[in-house]
Amino acid sequence: MPTPTTRTIVMTGATRGIGLEAAQELLRRSPETHLVVLARADSAAQVLPRLRATSPHVSAIEADLASTASTGTAASRVEDLLDAGGLPPLGGMVFNAGVHLDSAVHTTVDGYETTFAVNVLATHLLLRGLPPHLRAPARVVVTVSDAHFGDLRHTGGAFPATGWTSPDVLFRPGAYPRPTRVRAGRRAYATSKLGGIHLVHEWARRLPSGIDVVAHNPSLVIGTGLAREAGGASAFLMRYLVPALALTPLVDTPPVAGRRLADVVLGVTPAPTGSYVHRTRVTSSSRESYDAGREEELWAWLEQTARDVDDGSCGVPGAG
């Protein structure tokens, strides 16, 4: 007889790579958990049988994170189910979805630059309505990347320095020099991951005691598929060079990285709210990532955008 569920964990990015491995770990190690997967319908359909082979306590809600309307609808659906008792109380959230594209000119249906829209805006839209439903002790985990350092030591030169300006600029296509080039896509990715850390810091100031939010950096992982749309030499490096490092401590496989992500979600890895977990331990993120003024500015922009989503007026002014 299946173990009754006593809490819900909501997760994005659970349909492949690290996220899929972590989702399976959560279901294996926490049988009292009901996992809600937020994903496109076709992706969810492919992965649900595999997850339900581990536990029957899995459901999916359709969400296209590149659409503010779809993301907002998914968040409302989660709230409605929690309010109606269709799901057990919310005990955690995992924001693992992310994109890494071949330029900085890809545009969402709302007119936003796609990397920032998916990696930052969607996280905030999904999280903002759910704190009243989170039951302490609970943990919110946002997957980030050491790409946000943008230096040789942390990225081996694979990513340029971040290019933070202001949210009004960063969420528009073409925010970086020579925006159609692969390097601009990498800069957008690194900068969006910096934005994710800023968001974690600001949420940590606002969530009540017992509701922790942490940033998790899995570091370099082979076989995740993240580089499939990154362009340039990324696919070649991830297919041929990086696997050669798999026998070293520098690189993890998806199963190992997934277990580590599950450890963070389940609290096995100790981490105070607002912290940055590098693989298995709390450490410091980049010096640039600790900027309270920048974090407050990002928060204000995201909140205004969220209000625009609520009243149906969301979108970059003048975007086609």
Side-chain angles (χ1 to χ4, degrees):
M1 184 175 181
T3 303
T5 56
T6 58
R7 67 168 183 170
T8 296
I9 291 179
V10 174
M11 185 172 185
T12 69
T15 60
R16 61 165 62 92
I18 299 170
L20 177 55
E21 298 289 346
Q24 292 177 295
E25 278 292 306
L26 292 172
L27 293 169
R28 276 195 294 265
R29 293 160 54 185
S30 182
E32 74 280 8
T33 292
H34 183 101
L35 181 67
V36 177
V37 174
L38 302 185
R40 289 189 177 95
D42 55 346
S43 297
Q46 291 176 21
V47 78
L48 282 178
R50 183 170 172 181
L51 292 175
R52 286 173 176 158
T54 303
S55 168
H57 305 305
V58 185
S59 58
I61 293 175
E62 184 171 5
D64 177 359
L65 302 184
S67 162
T68 57
S70 177
T71 303
T73 298
S76 296
R77 178 62 178 154
V78 174
E79 288 189 75
D80 290 344
L81 287 169
L82 290 166
D83 286 336
L87 291 171
L90 188 60
M93 302 184 73
V94 189
F95 297 102
N96 181 65
V99 295
H100 178 192
L101 302 174
D102 60 0
S103 73
V105 295
H106 292 272
T107 307
T108 68
V109 294
D110 304 294
Y112 298 117
E113 193 279 316
T114 302
T115 309
F116 251 78
V118 173
N119 295 359
V120 183
L121 176 57
T123 297
H124 188 71
L125 292 178
L126 289 169
L127 178 54
R128 70 187 296 267
L130 293 174
H133 299 278
L134 284 161
R135 296 291 178 264
R139 179 171 278 190
V140 178
V141 179
V142 179
T143 298
V144 293
S145 170
D146 43 15
H148 86 277
F149 283 92
D151 59 16
L152 186 64
R153 175 189 169 194
H154 291 89
T155 72
F159 288 89
T162 58
W164 195 274
T165 50
S166 72
D168 277 337
V169 173
L170 293 170
F171 279 87
R172 289 177 179 267
Y176 308 94
R178 293 179 287 185
T180 61
R181 297 197 174 188
V182 168
R183 189 169 180 83
R186 292 175 183 162
R187 196 183 303 276
Y189 177 78
T191 308
S192 76
K193 292 304 180 179
L194 176 61
I197 298 171
H198 285 327
L199 190 59
V200 165
H201 291 166
E202 192 63 26
W203 269 108
R205 297 184 184 103
R206 296 168 183 269
L207 287 171
S209 177
I211 310 298
D212 296 337
V213 55
V214 301
H216 178 244
N217 166 37
S219 198
L220 193 54
V221 183
I222 62 171
T224 65
L226 183 62
R228 66 190 180 277
E229 296 179 324
S234 298
F236 176 84
L237 292 173
M238 292 302 293
R239 183 174 181 181
Y240 296 106
L241 179 59
V242 173
L245 301 174
L247 297 179
T248 76
L250 300 175
V251 175
D252 286 330
T253 61
V256 172
R259 287 195 296 273
R260 289 176 171 177
L261 174 55
D263 285 342
V264 177
V265 177
L266 295 172
V268 174
T269 299
T273 192
S275 61
Y276 176 80
V277 180
H278 173 71
R279 299 173 87 181
T280 62
R281 63 185 179 85
V282 173
T283 187
S284 297
S285 49
S286 69
R287 181 179 297 180
E288 184 186 11
S289 69
Y290 299 96
D291 187 325
R294 184 185 285 178
E295 289 157 3
E296 185 176 353
E297 181 186 28
L298 175 62
W299 177 275
W301 189 93
L302 291 169
E303 279 293 285
Q304 181 57 58
T305 303
R307 289 190 289 270
D308 291 343
V309 172
D310 292 341
D311 67 21
S313 62
C314 189
V316 174

